[in-house]
Amino acid sequence: MTAGPRRGQSRKPGDGELCAEAPVRLRQLDRRLVDGMREDLADLYVDSRTTAPGDAYRRPGRQDFLNRVTADVGRPGFAMVIAESDGLMGCAFGFPVRGDGSWWLGFDGVMPRSVGQLTVSGRAFAFSDILIRPHPQDWRLARRVQERLLTDHQASLGATLVDGADHAALAALRSWGWLDVGELRRPLGAATFRALVFPAGERTAASLEGLVTMPAGGVPGGP
C-alpha cells in the first residue's frame, strides 16, 4: 500500500483516467496469469510504499509477499485485478468471505449488524492486499481497482485486516474510503489487527453510517 493520503485533491474518485497521457487499464488475472507475473507483482509490492523516516514498523519482505500470493491463489474464488499503463501501476487481490463468519474469528467486540448480514449472505469479499504505485492521484486508482474487484464478484462489502502497528497502511486505506470496524486477533498470533470494511454502493454505505475511519496515526477517530 502507498504511504498515505495526498492533500489538496477535490475531484471525485472514478472521474476519467488516472492521467490523460497514460490511460490506465484494469484487467482481471486468472491463476495462470498471476503465476506468470509473480516477479512483477513482487516489484510492485516493494515499490508501493516507502517507509517514512522514524517509522519503526517493518512490513513483511518480498519473499513473504510471494508466499502469501501462492497461498491465496489456492483459495476458492481467488481473484486479482491489476492496473496497467506503461507498466504495472497497481493491483488488488483476495477471495470471498465464507458465510459462516470464520474470517472474523478473533474479532473483539460486537460486530456491526450490517457487516454480519452481508457476510452471512455471501456478499463480502476479503482483500488480501491493495498495492498502488505512488502517484499524485493514487487514491483514485485504488478506488477503481477496489470497486472493480467487488463488482466482478457481485460483492457489496470489502473487508481487510491490517497490522495495528502499520500506521502508514491504515492512513492509506482511510484515504481510499475504508472504514474501521474494530480490533481482531488471530488465534496463536502475536499481532493485533485492525479490521476495516469498504462499502460498494450508496445503499451499503448508508447501512455502515456511523462507523469510524482511521486517522493517520492508526487510532480510531471520527470521520
Side-chain angles (χ1 to χ4, degrees):
M1 299 181 185
T2 54
R6 305 302 200 275
R7 297 183 181 276
Q9 299 164 336
S10 59
R11 296 181 65 185
K12 295 181 180 179
D15 287 348
E17 299 291 351
L18 186 63
C19 66
E21 293 77 11
V24 175
R25 304 171 299 278
L26 302 187
R27 179 162 63 104
Q28 185 167 161
L29 302 186
D30 59 23
R31 289 175 168 85
R32 178 183 58 82
L33 292 174
V34 171
D35 188 60
M37 291 189 64
R38 284 171 55 86
E39 294 305 316
D40 291 333
L41 292 168
D43 289 342
L44 176 64
Y45 175 77
V46 172
D47 295 342
S48 63
R49 197 181 84 200
T50 301
T51 301
D55 188 351
Y57 179 78
R58 293 294 179 269
R59 67 174 178 168
R62 180 189 181 100
Q63 189 57 50
D64 294 315
F65 168 75
L66 287 173
N67 292 342
R68 181 154 52 87
V69 171
T70 298
D72 281 351
V73 164
R75 292 178 180 270
F78 170 85
M80 176 182 289
V81 169
I82 64 170
E84 301 171 299
S85 181
D86 296 332
L88 186 60
M89 297 293 294
C91 79
F93 61 95
F95 48 90
V97 175
R98 293 174 55 180
D100 61 7
S102 57
W103 192 85
W104 299 104
L105 184 65
F107 185 81
D108 184 17
V110 180
M111 176 71 62
R113 179 179 300 179
S114 56
V115 173
Q117 290 173 339
L118 290 170
T119 298
V120 171
S121 65
R123 293 162 58 197
F125 189 90
F127 283 72
S128 294
D129 217 334
I130 308 162
L131 308 174
I132 304 295
R133 200 174 297 280
H135 186 279
Q137 297 184 40
D138 55 13
W139 61 274
R140 177 185 296 174
L141 183 54
R143 293 293 294 255
R144 287 184 61 193
V145 296
Q146 291 166 186
E147 291 170 355
R148 170 65 181 272
L149 199 52
L150 292 176
T151 298
D152 286 350
H153 282 265
Q154 299 182 331
S156 299
L157 187 75
T160 195
L161 300 178
V162 181
D163 191 320
D166 192 353
H167 297 163
L170 290 168
L173 286 166
R174 176 177 180 256
S175 74
W176 299 342
W178 290 78
L179 305 172
D180 184 62
V181 178
E183 190 172 273
L184 184 148
R185 185 185 295 273
R186 291 297 192 202
L188 305 179
T192 297
F193 297 95
R194 298 304 306 182
L196 293 93
V197 296
F198 180 80
E202 294 182 1
R203 183 175 180 179
T204 303
S207 71
L208 295 172
E209 186 176 358
L211 291 182
V212 298
T213 55
M214 295 298 298
V219 179

